[in-house]
Amino acid sequence: MEEDKKYLIFSPINEYGGVNIEVSFIANLINEKNPVEVISLGDYYSNALGNLNSNVNYNSLDRIIYNQHSLIRSITDLICKVKPLSSPNHFRVENKFTTSSLIKVRNKKIKVIEKAISRSDVVVICSQLTAHFVKEIVQFAFQQDKKIIFRLTGQIQSQHLKKENIPWFRKISTFIHHSSESQERLSNFLKNSNNVIIDQTTILEKELLQIKIKPKKVNKFFTLSRLHSLKNIDAVIKAFINQSEGDDELNIYGDGEELIFLKKLAQNQPNIFFKGKVEFKDVPRVFEKNDCLIISSSSEAGPLVAIEAMAAGVLIITADIGAMNDRLPKYKFLYKKYYLGLTQAITSVKKLNSLQVQKFSIEFRTRYLENYSLSSITALYKKVL
């Protein structure tokens, strides 16, 4: 990591999620020796980067625009007064009035981005490959001769790999991937690009490693994620209903737009429990109370929750997504066919005896310590940043 440099991180931060945790981790790491600023291209939540160092400047593009431009602020406040919402007013700076040709709020946002880049030496982007404003950030940073590091936070999709993107992709100094699959896909598309693999770790390492690994049968399954359609929690509920028996239970942790739909799907099921949103500090308790994590997402870069499970020594059933093939090569409970594969995996896990479960748990924790520990991932980042 370069010293005596000013770092700037752009990311589409939202209320909670793995991206927020990763941004916070990177920012704190940089901040050990360098000043760093974080600008959210998404919304601004004061506690979204919960463990962020207090001397790291964190803001959002919308919030900056709202505070700097009195006309936009007045229009937005009026809209919020007529049609009030629970969210802060700055969430609504883009509206039919401010996006008009008279005000052009988007142009003002680009000026804020350019000003922030101008006062920085190194630009770090934590985002999906072609997210909103990413192209503009890369092009201006390149014009200003800034080092540009791109941490991909989602799986690379076909729509990202278009020929018209190649010119601005080439301006990026280094791409950081979670998995070999992601690295290979971009390397094949963008010849001679600089690609490295740095997977995730967990800042809850100490607490997770303190969880005792005991021989036990599996009967407490759980999910821990946003309740979003991409997470396929409905498939988990259906598969669990099909395979559960006796004192089996499914605990669903998290909140989101699918909550009502999922509760309706699970109605009259006395062994399915909705536990609500989990505070970050309470995540280790979730792993301690449960036996087997189910990951059913259709698209992920990691996911981070699997790294946490490995550190905790908790069994995992996972879809074949993101970095899971690298993390758990030839893993017995990694499935491809969503409902059928998930159902079969639940059946197989339930058949394991207590010593077999303990063996998997020890292997997971050992693999975490050897490949994904805080110290090892920190060392990799320091080489790149």
Side-chain angles (χ1 to χ4, degrees):
M1 185 165 59
E2 299 184 54
E3 294 188 28
D4 301 319
K5 299 285 186 180
K6 294 180 181 178
Y7 282 75
L8 172 64
I9 300 175
F10 288 106
S11 183
I13 296 164
N14 285 301
E15 188 171 7
Y16 51 86
V19 173
N20 298 12
I21 296 169
E22 196 153 15
V23 168
S24 182
F25 173 76
I26 294 170
N28 287 344
L29 177 61
I30 293 169
N31 192 232
E32 289 178 5
K33 294 187 177 180
N34 298 279
V36 57
E37 179 180 4
V38 177
I39 296 180
S40 170
L41 302 174
D43 295 322
Y44 174 88
Y45 295 89
S46 59
N47 61 346
L49 305 178
N51 66 319
L52 189 69
N53 290 349
S54 58
N55 60 333
V56 174
N57 183 16
Y58 160 52
N59 214 331
S60 77
L61 207 50
D62 286 348
R63 191 164 176 259
I64 293 169
I65 292 294
Y66 179 84
N67 289 328
Q68 287 185 354
H69 296 274
S70 58
L71 177 58
I72 292 175
R73 183 168 61 253
S74 298
I75 292 170
T76 304
D77 288 347
L78 182 60
I79 290 171
C80 292
K81 189 173 183 179
V82 174
K83 294 183 178 180
L85 292 175
S86 59
S87 55
N89 288 7
H90 62 79
F91 278 38
R92 300 167 75 180
V93 295
E94 280 203 30
N95 53 67
K96 65 180 180 180
F97 301 104
T98 62
T99 55
S100 69
S101 57
L102 290 174
I103 298 178
K104 297 181 180 179
V105 68
R106 190 176 191 280
N107 290 356
K108 290 177 170 55
K109 287 186 176 183
I110 290 174
K111 287 182 179 178
V112 170
I113 288 170
E114 292 177 348
K115 188 175 180 180
I117 291 172
S118 296
R119 62 177 179 261
S120 304
D121 301 305
V122 182
V123 174
V124 180
I125 304 168
C126 297
S127 170
Q128 292 195 4
L129 197 51
T130 57
H132 206 38
F133 289 114
V134 166
K135 180 179 178 180
E136 289 84 354
I137 291 167
V138 170
Q139 289 179 324
F140 188 76
F142 184 80
Q143 289 173 14
Q144 297 290 305
D145 198 28
K146 310 293 184 182
K147 182 179 178 181
I148 307 166
I149 300 168
F150 202 125
R151 169 33 130 184
L152 286 97
T153 60
Q155 283 188 297
I156 297 175
Q157 308 292 339
S158 299
Q159 63 264 29
H160 299 153
L161 304 180
K162 295 180 179 179
K163 287 185 178 179
E164 58 262 34
N165 291 332
I166 291 177
W168 69 268
F169 280 3
R170 291 214 172 277
K171 296 173 180 178
I172 295 166
S173 312
T174 303
F175 292 94
I176 305 176
H177 303 261
H178 288 96
S179 67
S180 56
E181 186 274 336
S182 176
Q183 182 194 40
E184 288 168 11
R185 191 162 191 194
L186 188 59
S187 297
N188 290 336
F189 174 75
L190 194 66
K191 303 296 183 184
N192 301 317
S193 53
N194 185 26
N195 295 272
V196 298
I197 297 175
I198 304 178
D199 203 348
Q200 294 165 301
T201 185
T202 172
I203 60 173
L204 296 171
E205 178 178 282
K206 181 180 177 181
E207 294 84 351
L208 292 167
L209 291 176
Q210 287 175 347
I211 296 174
K212 293 181 179 180
I213 294 175
K214 302 175 183 177
K216 58 181 177 180
K217 292 271 290 180
V218 171
N219 77 300
K220 293 184 178 180
F221 297 86
F222 72 108
T223 64
L224 177 58
S225 70
R226 288 180 297 114
L227 302 185
H228 186 278
S229 58
L230 289 175
K231 304 298 183 179
N232 296 315
I233 305 300
D234 56 333
V236 178
I237 291 173
K238 291 173 185 176
F240 178 79
I241 291 172
N242 184 274
Q243 296 300 313
S244 64
E245 56 187 0
D247 59 352
D248 291 344
E249 63 182 62
L250 173 62
N251 295 309
I252 298 171
Y253 296 89
D255 198 2
E257 59 265 38
E258 289 227 315
L259 179 60
I260 295 173
F261 162 68
L262 294 172
K263 281 188 172 181
K264 187 175 181 180
L265 187 63
Q267 65 184 355
N268 302 321
Q269 297 296 324
N271 53 354
I272 297 180
F273 306 95
F274 289 85
K275 299 291 190 176
K277 181 183 174 183
V278 179
E279 294 298 325
F280 185 63
K281 63 180 176 61
D282 296 326
V283 166
R285 292 186 64 200
V286 172
F287 285 98
E288 193 169 16
K289 290 179 177 180
N290 292 278
D291 304 326
C292 181
L293 171 69
I294 300 178
I295 300 168
S296 56
S297 307
S298 51
S299 179
E300 293 275 4
L304 176 62
V305 69
I307 289 291
E308 293 168 339
M310 290 172 70
V314 168
L315 206 64
I316 304 170
I317 293 173
T318 178
D320 185 6
I321 51 166
M324 294 310 298
N325 249 316
D326 289 350
R327 294 170 178 177
L328 301 172
K330 299 180 181 179
Y331 181 51
K332 184 177 181 180
F333 305 117
L334 186 147
Y335 64 89
K336 295 181 183 292
K337 296 179 181 178
Y338 268 80
Y339 177 73
L340 179 61
L342 177 54
T343 303
Q344 291 172 342
I346 291 174
T347 302
S348 299
V349 164
K350 282 166 55 65
K351 290 179 180 178
L352 295 174
N353 63 45
S354 58
L355 291 177
Q356 288 173 319
V357 174
Q358 185 182 40
K359 183 181 177 183
F360 274 114
S361 297
I362 293 170
E363 288 175 355
F364 282 4
R365 181 167 287 174
T366 300
R367 193 161 178 81
Y368 171 83
L369 290 169
E370 290 176 348
N371 299 282
Y372 309 106
S373 67
L374 265 172
S375 58
S376 60
I377 298 301
T378 295
L380 292 172
Y381 265 117
K382 285 183 175 180
K383 289 180 181 178
V384 175
L385 294 171

